[in-house]
Amino acid sequence: MPTIGIITQPVAPGKKDAFDFNDYILEVNDNFVKWAGSKTVAIPFDISEEELVRMLDQINGVLLTGGSLTLIDEDGNQHPYYKTAKRVIEYSKMKKDEFGEDWPVLGICQGLEVISVYQAKDDIEALDKIVIYGENRPINWTNVESRFFKDFPDHLR
């Protein structure tokens, strides 16, 4: 059975008083991997280089999950999570380049942002800034006469 690592997320500074731990993995991410037939192992977001390599040598891939971290701040400082994720991506590339071995890294939401910024050579501006909260967006339905909409009341169409 494959073992997949999941990099932990740090507990937000404002919530540290409410928890007895400094990092976590959401159960949904653990279940995502387990339901696919693999075991999971937590990779601390601030793990040392030596410990990380030792851990990666014993697992079969990594899931980079969603989150809301500032990966690289305005001064160019990289978050420890981002630094660890970069080392994981570099490990995956090394396995492919040197051994021809597929060693997968899956990025979902923030994890995909990590991969994108890494591929852009740490250029955080490679990500678009999109406001998704607090604004209404117009919807222009182009074909309200379709089978999908045929039973909708007129006032909804």
Side-chain angles (χ1 to χ4, degrees):
M1 174 182 301
T3 301
I4 304 300
I6 301 175
I7 301 178
T8 63
Q9 295 282 327
V11 173
K15 296 184 178 183
K16 287 192 183 235
D17 293 340
F19 297 98
D20 291 333
F21 45 87
N22 293 322
D23 55 347
Y24 66 95
I25 292 174
L26 290 176
E27 182 179 21
V28 67
N29 294 315
D30 184 59
N31 287 338
F32 176 73
V33 172
K34 288 179 178 174
W35 292 339
S38 297
K39 296 185 293 184
T40 60
V41 62
I43 300 173
F45 73 91
D46 56 356
I47 191 170
S48 72
E49 175 78 29
E50 183 180 303
E51 291 176 36
L52 178 63
V53 171
R54 189 169 37 248
M55 183 176 270
L56 296 179
D57 283 341
Q58 298 177 57
I59 63 177
N60 306 101
V62 167
L63 170 63
L64 303 176
T65 65
S68 60
L69 299 174
T70 300
L71 301 174
I72 302 174
D73 68 18
E74 294 173 0
D75 296 325
N77 299 311
Q78 298 178 2
H79 192 283
Y81 176 94
Y82 179 66
K83 290 178 182 179
T84 298
K86 282 177 34 173
R87 293 185 311 204
V88 166
I89 295 167
E90 289 164 359
Y91 180 89
S92 175
K93 290 173 70 173
M94 178 275 300
K95 291 294 263 188
K96 185 65 170 181
D97 294 345
E98 293 182 21
F99 304 105
E101 181 180 333
D102 292 327
W103 200 91
V105 176
L106 173 62
I108 297 176
C109 199
Q110 174 185 268
L112 184 57
E113 290 180 359
V114 166
I115 293 169
S116 298
V117 172
Y118 172 82
Q119 286 300 114
K121 298 183 177 26
D122 300 330
D123 180 7
I124 196 69
E125 297 301 317
L127 301 177
D128 289 335
K129 289 180 178 50
I130 300 172
V131 177
I132 60 170
Y133 301 107
E135 72 177 44
N136 293 323
R137 297 192 172 155
I139 298 173
N140 181 11
W141 301 106
T142 58
N143 184 6
V144 294
E145 303 304 321
S146 69
R147 289 185 300 162
F148 179 80
F149 289 107
K150 72 178 169 93
D151 294 327
F152 274 51
D154 287 338
H155 72 280
L156 291 178
R157 283 195 272 158

